[in-house]
Amino acid sequence: MNLQGLPPAFQTQMQAQLGADYSDFETALDQPAPVSIRVNPRKNIFPTVDLLPIPWCSEGFYLPERPSFTLDPLFQAGAYYVQEASSMLLNEALKQTVKLNRPLRVLDLCAAPGGKSTLLASALSPDSLLICNEVIRSRVSVLRENMDKWGYPNVVISNHDPEDMRSLEGFFDVVVVDAPCSGEGLFRKDPDAMNEWSEANVQLCSARQKRILGAAAPLLDEGGILIYSTCTYNDSENTENVRFLTEHGFRNRSLELPADWNIVEKKTGETVGYQCYPHRVKGEGFFISVFQKTAFTAAVKLDARTFRSIRALRPRETASAMKWLQNPSEFSFWEKPNGDVMALPKSLEKTFLFLDSALHNKGFGLEMGQFKGQDFIPSHALALSTAVSSNLPAVALSKEDALRFFKKENLVFDEPLKGWLLAQYNGLNLGWLKGVGNRVNNYLPKDWRIRMDIKEYV
Ligand code: SAM
C-alpha cells in the first residue's frame, strides 16, 4: 500500500499505541494482505489438505495467492466464503463463551455482506435461529445472496435500524455487533478506508457504535452473550465502547488465547478486548470483546396465533412441494400472497410466528419456488439449500460448462434432457436447468450472472 497516504494523525496515534513496534506495523502494511477462506461444513468439498490452517477457526485456511473467486464454481455454489483471517476470531470467542450444541436465538445486528453471518450459521446447531440484520437497504441483497449460497434454512434476513427492534427485547441468547467503524485495520486491503479516515469520522463512528450497542443491549436475555467487534485499532471506538457496556448491565468475559497466536490482550480497567495487528498475525486489524448480560429485560409478549400474510399450502400442493426436500417431514409448507412457496423448519415454527408479528422487513424460511399451472418452478435458493433433496435429477457439468452456466448461457448436451435438473459441479448444486424439446434452459437468476470474461479460464 502507499504508506505516504497514511494520515499523519493516524500515524501519531499508532506510534503512541505501539511504541517500538510501530516500524514493524508499517512494514506489515507495505506487504500484500493475506488471502483466506472459510469452508462451508455442510458443502464440504473444497480441497484444504495442502492449505495452511487459521489457528482460531478450524474451517478457515490461508490461500497461497488470490485466485479469481468469481470464476470458481465452488465459490458460486457456497462451498466457501472469502473472509479475512483475523475476523474469524469470532469463532473462538463463540466456542469459549457460548454452549453451541443447544438451540439458540442469535442476532447478527450489522450483518452485510454476511461474513460473520455465514460463520455463525455454521457454528450454530441446525435448530437454532439466526437473524441476519442489515440496516442499509441496498446492502441487503448481497447479504441475502451470500446466505442463499451458504444454504441454511434456519436463517432470517431483516432490514431494520437496531433502534427499531424493540419488540425483540429479551429475546436473544447471543447478539453480535460487528460495528461500522473507522476501518483502520483495513487500510492495507482497502485504500478507500484510508482516504475516508479523519479524527472527526472516528468520533462519528464511536458515537454511532454507542447508539447501536445501546439498542442491542436490551435485545439480550439475562445471561446472554454480546460480542462486539470492529476492524479498527482506535481506542475512541474500541475501548470506550467496551467501557460503555460494562456500565450498562454487562460483565466482560475474558478468552484464553494461546500466546503463539500473537493476539494482543487490551485491558481497560478490569475489561479486556483482543486486538489483531498485521505485524503480529497473518491477517488484518481486528478487535473483539465479549460480554455477558447481568441485567434483566422482560421479554416482549406477542399473542400471535396465525401468520399475518402467509397461508398454509393445501395438502395436494404440500405433497408436491415435499418431493423437493431431503427431509420434508422436518418442514411445514406455506405460500406468500405473491405465490412464493416457503418451507419453514418445524422446530422454529412458533419462533417464526412470533417474528412475523415482531419484525416487519424480513424474509424467513426457505424460499422454494412457485406453482405455475401443473409445474413447480423451483427457486435458485432451493438449489443451493442444504435442505434440497439429493434424489432429484441432476447433470454433472465440466468446469467450462459450470462457468457457462454462471454466464447464463444455454448449455448444449449430447442427449436430450427433460424436465427440471440440478446443474452440478463436483457434486455440488449450482442451480436449475430445464430440458424442453431440444433445448436446455438455464434458470440462473439474472442478478447472479457473472459478467467477467471466462475465455481464458475454460
Ligand atoms: N458483519 C459483516 C461481515 O462480517 O460481513 C460486516 C459488517 S460492517 C463492519 C458494518 C455493517 O453495519 C455494514 O453493513 C453497515 O451497513 C452497517 N451499519 C451502518 N450503519 C449502521 C447503523 N447505524 N446501525 C446498524 N448497522 C449499521
Side-chain angles (χ1 to χ4, degrees), residues 68-354:
S68 168
F69 292 114
T70 310
L71 297 181
D72 181 2
L74 295 184
F75 171 67
Q76 299 293 352
Y80 62 91
Y81 188 90
V82 183
Q83 187 172 37
E84 189 287 298
S86 303
S87 58
M88 296 185 207
L89 194 54
L90 171 62
N91 185 63
E92 186 64 26
L94 280 171
K95 260 177 42 191
Q96 290 194 22
T97 57
V98 180
K99 284 201 185 93
L100 291 164
N101 55 2
R102 64 191 174 105
L104 296 167
R105 294 167 172 180
V106 179
L107 171 65
D108 185 3
L109 190 55
C110 310
K116 309 289 181 308
S117 289
T118 51
L119 187 153
L120 287 163
S122 299
L124 298 174
S125 67
D127 42 4
S128 293
L129 168 79
L130 173 62
I131 301 188
C132 313
N133 181 71
E134 169 57 43
V135 64
I136 298 182
R137 187 179 289 251
S138 60
R139 290 170 61 81
V140 175
S141 50
V142 64
L143 173 64
R144 190 183 306 275
E145 187 173 320
N146 283 328
M147 296 318 289
D148 280 354
K149 274 188 199 169
W150 212 244
Y152 293 43
N154 55 333
V155 167
V156 173
I157 310 279
S158 69
N159 171 219
H160 282 279
D161 189 295
E163 288 173 352
D164 291 340
M165 299 183 94
R166 291 194 189 92
S167 49
L168 296 179
E169 285 191 353
F171 184 76
F172 292 101
D173 302 300
V174 179
V175 174
V176 174
V177 176
D178 186 35
C181 69
S182 57
E184 293 171 357
L186 299 181
F187 283 2
R188 168 166 77 169
K189 253 178 79 181
D190 176 9
D192 284 348
M194 186 168 75
N195 300 335
E196 281 162 22
W197 188 92
S198 69
E199 288 171 284
N201 193 35
V202 167
Q203 292 315 318
L204 215 103
C205 288
S206 174
R208 188 194 290 138
Q209 288 154 3
K210 268 197 201 67
R211 268 204 317 279
I212 298 173
L213 288 172
L219 304 181
L220 278 153
D221 195 3
E222 188 177 353
I225 294 290
L226 190 152
I227 303 183
Y228 173 69
S229 62
T230 67
C231 46
T232 199
Y233 313 109
N234 208 295
D235 287 336
S236 312
E237 298 172 69
N238 301 338
T239 316
E240 273 193 27
N241 286 313
V242 159
R243 190 179 316 120
F244 173 84
L245 281 169
T246 51
E247 288 162 3
H248 287 80
F250 286 83
R251 80 178 172 90
N252 179 235
R253 295 278 307 260
S254 58
L255 304 176
E256 298 282 326
L257 304 183
D260 62 0
W261 289 2
N262 275 329
I263 295 167
V264 173
E265 208 176 277
K266 270 195 161 176
K267 277 203 154 172
T268 319
E270 291 303 296
T271 303
V272 57
Y274 301 88
Q275 181 86 62
C276 297
Y277 290 103
H279 60 290
R280 298 181 59 99
V281 306
K282 211 166 145 56
E284 302 312 281
F286 183 69
F287 175 86
I288 192 163
S289 192
V290 183
F291 298 84
Q292 185 151 27
K293 184 160 166 177
T294 50
F296 171 74
T297 306
V300 173
K301 296 228 170 355
L302 291 174
D303 194 19
R305 300 216 169 131
T306 51
F307 284 100
R308 284 186 309 170
S309 58
I310 57 174
R311 67 156 188 93
L313 275 194
R314 283 181 277 271
R316 204 157 57 93
E317 295 166 324
T318 300
S320 155
M322 284 174 86
K323 291 184 198 142
W324 297 84
L325 298 189
Q326 184 69 11
N327 296 307
S329 59
E330 293 175 4
F331 293 86
S332 59
F333 296 87
W334 305 82
E335 191 176 46
K336 290 191 196 168
N338 68 359
D340 283 346
V341 171
M342 290 157 54
L344 299 186
K346 281 184 184 162
S347 59
L348 289 172
E349 203 173 300
K350 281 211 177 94
T351 312
F352 283 140
L353 190 59
F354 174 80

Side-chain angles (χ1 to χ4, degrees), residues 333-409:
F333 296 87
W334 305 82
E335 191 176 46
K336 290 191 196 168
N338 68 359
D340 283 346
V341 171
M342 290 157 54
L344 299 186
K346 281 184 184 162
S347 59
L348 289 172
E349 203 173 300
K350 281 211 177 94
T351 312
F352 283 140
L353 190 59
F354 174 80
L355 290 176
D356 193 42
S357 321
L359 276 183
H360 287 270
N361 303 330
K362 41 109 201 352
F364 53 63
L366 166 60
E367 295 237 352
M368 291 188 63
Q370 288 209 350
F371 285 104
K372 236 183 199 155
Q374 294 302 305
D375 202 4
F376 181 75
I377 319 286
S379 72
H380 192 58
L382 176 62
L384 297 181
S385 174
T386 53
V388 74
S389 168
S390 57
N391 299 318
L392 299 171
V395 53
L397 302 184
S398 63
K399 181 165 185 195
E400 179 174 347
D401 276 345
L403 290 177
R404 289 194 206 296
F405 175 81
F406 286 115
K407 290 287 283 179
K408 204 165 164 52
E409 292 175 10

Side-chain angles (χ1 to χ4, degrees), residues 36-37 52-58 60-62 83-86 88:
S36 50
I37 58 158
L52 184 64
I54 295 174
W56 42 88
C57 180
S58 54
F61 298 89
Y62 295 103
Q83 187 172 37
E84 189 287 298
S86 303
M88 296 185 207

